[in-house]
Amino acid sequence: MKTLNPAVARVLKRLHYPLDVILTCVRWYVAYPLSLRHLEDMMAERGVSVDHSTVHRWAIKLLPVLEKAFRRRKRPVGQSWRMDETYIRVKGEWRYLYRAVDKDGNTVDFLLRAHRDKTAARRYFEKSIAQNGAPETVTIDKSGANLAALEAINADRETPIKIRQSKYLNNLIEQDHRAIKRRTRPMLGFKTFRCARILLCGIEIMHMIVKGQMKCARGTHPSAADQFYELAK
């Protein structure tokens, strides 16, 4: 790569491995159900000696930078959202990953919170609306906290967001959770909230790239791997 994202270049100054090795390890870690030990073994088979803790450090340093680059290239989402939260284990305790997809299954946004309540749900909606604009409709399950959060947001809006409560209509988001949970399972829980937030962000980015949510140059059809590497440029 001849021209690097300046933020990536700053991170790389302190990392003493070739960029392609670093990006390959980080992509594999967020794209596939692999443990850090698996990655260490896989790189050893390719003649690259890298400790599993080093791969973890690369991911924690690089993923926030790549997320910012992805946000600038993310395609707009639809106006009808399906929102729900799923459980993630952090330091042996359950935490809550708030997520939404539009009616086509595209990821709207995500947010990890320590608690599952009106405050957490409202924070999620505020972040999602700030990043994606306000939806016309949000479908939720029978959660009272999510309903209260949306009603609080509607109280400040001239045009209220239409709220639907339907377990059946929310199957789309529940199916989408599975792709994230499948990837987090080999991680055997996260050690800190900060690490969980950063690694989940990387998993979500890769999931969105696979779903075709990153803008690419007109007429080009790069692979998901190449799109991920493009974020470092």
Side-chain angles (χ1 to χ4, degrees), residues 24-41:
T24 298
C25 285
V26 172
R27 183 180 67 82
W28 282 350
Y29 191 39
V30 296
Y32 304 115
L34 299 167
S35 70
L36 289 166
R37 299 278 183 182
H38 286 143
L39 288 168
E40 183 179 315
D41 292 345

Side-chain angles (χ1 to χ4, degrees), residues 2-73:
K2 293 178 182 175
T3 57
L4 275 184
N5 176 327
V8 171
R10 281 194 295 275
V11 169
L12 289 175
K13 279 184 182 176
R14 300 184 292 278
L15 305 178
H16 308 294
Y17 276 80
L19 177 61
D20 60 341
V21 170
I22 294 171
L23 285 175
T24 298
C25 285
V26 172
R27 183 180 67 82
W28 282 350
Y29 191 39
V30 296
Y32 304 115
L34 299 167
S35 70
L36 289 166
R37 299 278 183 182
H38 286 143
L39 288 168
E40 183 179 315
D41 292 345
M42 289 165 70
M43 294 312 290
E45 287 179 12
R46 289 159 176 75
V48 179
S49 176
V50 56
D51 188 78
H52 63 278
S53 62
T54 301
V55 177
H56 185 265
R57 192 167 67 251
W58 290 344
I60 297 302
K61 286 179 178 292
L62 265 179
L63 288 172
V65 176
L66 299 181
E67 184 199 9
K68 285 183 182 174
F70 178 81
R71 293 274 180 192
R72 292 193 293 270
R73 307 184 197 193

Side-chain angles (χ1 to χ4, degrees), residues 137-152:
T137 305
V138 174
T139 303
I140 56 177
D141 59 14
K142 299 297 184 180
S143 163
N146 294 344
L147 177 62
L150 275 171
E151 287 175 340

Side-chain angles (χ1 to χ4, degrees), residues 78-188:
Q79 296 271 287
S80 178
W81 298 357
R82 276 83 166 142
M83 179 269 195
D84 188 31
E85 66 280 344
T86 189
Y87 298 89
I88 298 289
R89 193 176 283 282
V90 181
K91 284 201 297 188
E93 296 183 348
W94 290 115
R95 299 301 183 221
Y96 306 94
L97 181 62
Y98 285 81
R99 310 180 64 248
V101 296
D102 67 13
K103 67 179 182 182
D104 296 318
N106 294 311
T107 303
V108 175
D109 222 318
F110 50 90
L111 183 68
L112 184 67
R113 301 298 284 179
H115 303 289
R116 184 189 186 200
D117 54 21
K118 175 185 171 182
T119 302
R122 181 168 184 171
R123 181 70 195 91
Y124 170 76
F125 284 121
E126 287 170 346
K127 177 181 184 249
S128 298
I129 289 168
Q131 294 276 358
N132 301 277
E136 291 175 0
T137 305
V138 174
T139 303
I140 56 177
D141 59 14
K142 299 297 184 180
S143 163
N146 294 344
L147 177 62
L150 275 171
E151 287 175 340
I153 284 172
N154 273 344
D156 299 329
R157 293 179 55 81
E158 283 185 25
T159 307
I161 296 165
K162 183 182 174 186
I163 304 167
R164 294 189 299 188
Q165 285 190 283
S166 166
K167 187 76 178 168
Y168 168 73
L169 286 174
N170 249 23
N171 281 347
L172 192 62
I173 179 65
E174 289 174 8
Q175 293 293 327
D176 202 68
H177 288 332
R178 291 183 182 179
I180 305 303
K181 298 297 281 279
R182 195 161 47 238
R183 177 59 207 90
T184 60
R185 209 164 289 126
M187 293 180 173
L188 304 176

Side-chain angles (χ1 to χ4, degrees), residues 167-232:
K167 187 76 178 168
Y168 168 73
L169 286 174
N170 249 23
N171 281 347
L172 192 62
I173 179 65
E174 289 174 8
Q175 293 293 327
D176 202 68
H177 288 332
R178 291 183 182 179
I180 305 303
K181 298 297 281 279
R182 195 161 47 238
R183 177 59 207 90
T184 60
R185 209 164 289 126
M187 293 180 173
L188 304 176
F190 297 97
K191 302 297 183 288
T192 70
F193 194 86
R194 175 177 171 269
C195 286
R197 185 171 47 77
I198 292 172
L199 292 173
L200 285 165
C201 150
I203 292 167
E204 292 276 12
I205 288 170
M206 198 65 224
H207 188 44
M208 285 189 277
I209 287 173
V210 169
K211 289 196 281 188
Q213 289 187 243
M214 182 167 147
K215 293 175 186 169
C216 301
R218 189 182 295 276
T220 64
H221 302 283
S223 67
D226 286 340
Q227 289 179 63
F228 184 84
Y229 301 144
E230 186 74 22
L231 296 174

